[in-house]
Amino acid sequence: MHLTTALLSFVGLLTTAFAAYNPSSSSNIAVYWGQNSYGQSTGSFVQQRLSYYCANSQLTVIPLAFLITISNPTLNFANAGNNCTAISGSSLFYCSQLEADITTCQKTYGKTILLSIGGATYSEGGFSSSSAAVTAANNIWAIFGPTTSGSTVPRPFGTAVIDGFDFDFESTVSNMPSFANQLRTLMNSAGGKTYYLSAAPQCPYPDAADGPMLGGAVSFDFIWVQFYNNYCGLNSFTVGSSTQNNFNFATWDNWAKTTSLNKNVKVFLGIPANTGAAGSGYESGSTLASIIAYSKSFSSFGGVMMWDMSQLWANSGFLSAVASDLGAPAATTVATTLQTVTKTSTSAAATGTAVPQWGQCGGEGYTGSTVCAAPYTCVYGGVWWSSCQ
Ligand SMILES: *[C@@H]1O[C@H](CO)[C@@H](O)[C@H](O)[C@H]1NC(C)=O
């Protein structure tokens, strides 16, 4: 009897510990896998097979990077590609490990697995016409979507089926909205599970490459903005200020609510996972905690995206720090000086005091409860003031 109870609660723990993408959570963590960007060819920091990372409970979304050409589809997964075998009559390879691992990641570890299209080397420039884009989307769906009996298309992931697509273009592409919308149509009519579309614009607004898709033509579930390698990145964040000059999460939040076709789209804070993962924009410690707390104050905030998995695994403690920053109450980690406030308000919360609508729930010097009465959440209103709304 006791044993049964113990086992049941253990199972319960497992199911809550691993989570797929959750549109109503602001703590999703997405990390790109596939490019071995840390660059080791041997040793403990070389990119490992996908399932190795899926066993980590803090990750929720893993985009596989990249499908580097679309019209005559080609994949590149750096060293993971060495474990795959060429499929004759195509430019694709078949990866038995990915067929097994995608399924394990989804079924055992509850991960959302996307295929990311593009990357810095993508050079096809999109499609010559809208109808060429639709034809290409149908082909990509046949290759990576659910299997259809009698189909003879090459299937790099065998019977495994990804959970959607991510667009990461860094140069101008033509007719991409037609391609994305056709994928959306195919995903919507497939049923069986929820499929997602995401995009990875760079932070200067509007994004040059993904702009036509983001300008209201395509319905995205979430996007992750690359807040690195640009003047609007993490390195421009002013700690302790409720208004930001160059760091522009506010601009993207406004995009979500005004320009985006899907007004419920979530915006992730895209960050480098290690010092060398980007040319500029790597932040850690209390500065990163402040940036995450600030970004979390926007209602479109969906979590953090990191580039990339190999960099992250070589940066000991970084993933747990990000997860902890995401889990912290929005109002209490805004400035680095608020660590003591966090402690005090945690004990206030422990007394069970719930703050009513419009009541104060955070701000520098505030020592009261940070817990809002249902259904309100604590919304950042400046360094000195957060309230339940
Ligand atoms: C390649 O296969 C080996 C042997 O199964 C495995 O240990 C390794 O993790 C794989 N590498 C990648 C990057 O998938």
Side-chain angles (χ1 to χ4, degrees):
M1 191 62 179
H2 282 292
L3 183 66
T4 316
T5 315
L7 275 175
L8 279 177
S9 47
F10 180 63
V11 171
L13 202 73
L14 269 182
T15 39
T16 50
F18 293 105
Y21 170 71
N22 178 356
S24 56
S25 163
S26 56
S27 314
N28 294 289
I29 297 182
V31 183
Y32 278 90
W33 174 91
Q35 284 304 297
N36 191 26
S37 133
Y38 192 64
Q40 305 292 295
S41 52
T42 55
S44 33
F45 298 135
V46 64
Q47 172 174 268
Q48 309 284 316
R49 62 187 287 182
L50 183 65
S51 56
Y52 172 82
Y53 303 102
C54 290
N56 179 287
S57 64
Q58 287 160 327
L59 308 175
T60 44
V61 186
I62 304 179
L64 310 181
F66 291 104
L67 181 74
I68 56 169
T69 62
I70 307 172
S71 295
N72 175 21
T74 324
L75 290 162
N76 180 300
F77 294 136
N79 64 326
N82 301 339
N83 290 348
C84 308
T85 51
I87 305 175
S88 67
S90 84
S91 303
L92 289 164
F93 47 51
Y94 165 67
C95 311
S96 59
Q97 287 185 349
L98 278 172
E99 176 171 27
D101 288 10
I102 289 170
T103 306
T104 302
C105 292
Q106 293 166 328
K107 302 259 155 70
T108 308
Y109 298 121
K111 304 293 185 237
T112 299
I113 308 291
L114 306 180
L115 177 63
S116 186
I117 304 176
T121 67
Y122 176 80
S123 62
E124 292 176 324
F127 310 94
S128 57
S129 65
S130 172
S131 65
V134 168
T135 303
N138 290 340
N139 188 40
I140 294 301
W141 185 246
I143 293 172
F144 298 105
T147 51
T148 43
S149 63
S151 167
T152 55
V153 296
R155 301 235 355 147
F157 308 148
T159 55
V161 181
I162 52 168
D163 299 300
F165 298 91
D166 168 54
F167 296 96
D168 180 14
F169 296 110
E170 317 225 334
S171 55
T172 310
V173 289
S174 301
N175 291 300
M176 206 48 80
S178 302
F179 177 78
N181 281 329
Q182 180 64 8
L183 284 181
R184 180 100 251 174
T185 301
L186 292 163
M187 296 190 318
N188 287 352
S189 56
K193 65 175 177 180
T194 307
Y195 291 96
Y196 300 102
L197 272 193
S198 74
Q202 299 186 43
C203 59
Y205 185 87
D207 181 61
D210 296 315
M213 286 187 289
L214 297 174
V218 178
S219 181
F220 286 100
D221 298 285
F222 42 87
I223 65 164
W224 26 69
V225 181
Q226 301 180 42
F227 288 101
Y228 39 90
N229 294 334
N230 276 296
Y231 70 93
C232 43
L234 303 188
N235 43 315
S236 295
F237 185 82
T238 310
V239 173
S241 174
S242 59
T243 51
Q244 297 291 325
N245 290 326
N246 288 325
F247 176 73
N248 66 347
F249 199 96
T251 301
W252 286 97
D253 177 69
N254 187 53
W255 164 83
K257 289 160 183 159
T258 58
T259 305
S260 173
L261 185 56
N262 172 18
K263 301 289 188 286
N264 293 317
V265 65
K266 291 293 174 176
V267 181
F268 284 56
L269 179 79
I271 69 173
N274 204 336
T275 48
S280 69
Y282 176 74
E283 296 292 346
S284 61
S286 59
T287 303
L288 180 60
S290 297
I291 297 169
I292 290 176
Y294 167 83
S295 305
K296 241 187 125 165
S297 71
F298 295 93
S299 60
S300 67
F301 184 75
V304 165
M305 173 279 276
M306 287 183 247
W307 176 267
D308 74 344
M309 198 73 85
S310 61
Q311 295 276 3
L312 179 61
W313 249 251
N315 191 3
S316 178
F318 193 73
L319 175 58
S320 292
V322 169
S324 146
D325 293 344
L326 279 169
T332 50
T333 50
V334 168
T336 55
T337 50
L338 296 189
Q339 289 312 315
T340 49
V341 176
T342 311
K343 286 206 183 67
T344 323
S345 37
T346 306
S347 47
T351 65
T353 329
V355 180
Q357 188 182 19
W358 307 120
Q360 185 171 13
C361 52
E364 196 161 338
Y366 173 73
T367 55
S369 173
T370 58
V371 177
C372 293
Y376 307 108
T377 52
C378 194
V379 176
Y380 177 74
V383 182
W384 303 100
W385 180 259
S386 294
S387 62
C388 293
Q389 299 176 22

